[in-house]
Amino acid sequence: MADVRRQLRSGTVVLGGMGLLAAALTACSSDPDKRCVDRDSYRATKGYRVVSDKNCTSTKSAVDAGYYYGGKKKGGWVEGGSFTESRGGSGGSSSGGHGVHRGGFGGGHGSSGG
């Protein structure tokens, strides 16, 4: 009887661990940072001004807003990202700008085969 209980406990630990692993992998694969910015607010020293998400989802926005992916946020400004969301592959953008680089297994470095 003790062996049966021990097997049940170890099975519970394995299943619980698998659930934690699945949750961690799901969190790691989430979309990169995306922020709604005013496209007309660019400053060479600051980047783009971050505005409310309502400006990116509404058709009647007071500013020329768009989603800006990646980059570093400093105060109410963001720089070093791109208006183009990366769709996997090399992680860069075809326009020569700064692509969104996402980590994960393998780190995303090196060249892709093909």
Side-chain angles (χ1 to χ4, degrees), residues 10 16 21 44 68-69 77-78 101:
S10 63
L21 178 62
Y68 193 75
Y69 300 91
W77 297 80
V78 63
H101 298 283

Side-chain angles (χ1 to χ4, degrees), residues 36 51-63 65 67:
C36 186
V51 295
S52 172
D53 278 343
K54 292 186 291 186
N55 293 299
C56 287
T57 57
S58 173
T59 57
K60 297 179 180 181
S61 175
V63 296
Y67 282 114

Side-chain angles (χ1 to χ4, degrees), residues 29-50:
S29 66
S30 63
D31 288 334
D33 290 339
K34 100 176 163 181
R35 298 172 181 91
C36 186
V37 299
D38 179 358
R39 291 177 182 263
D40 297 329
S41 67
Y42 182 77
R43 303 288 181 267
T45 58
K46 294 182 176 184
Y48 292 94
R49 183 173 56 96
V50 178

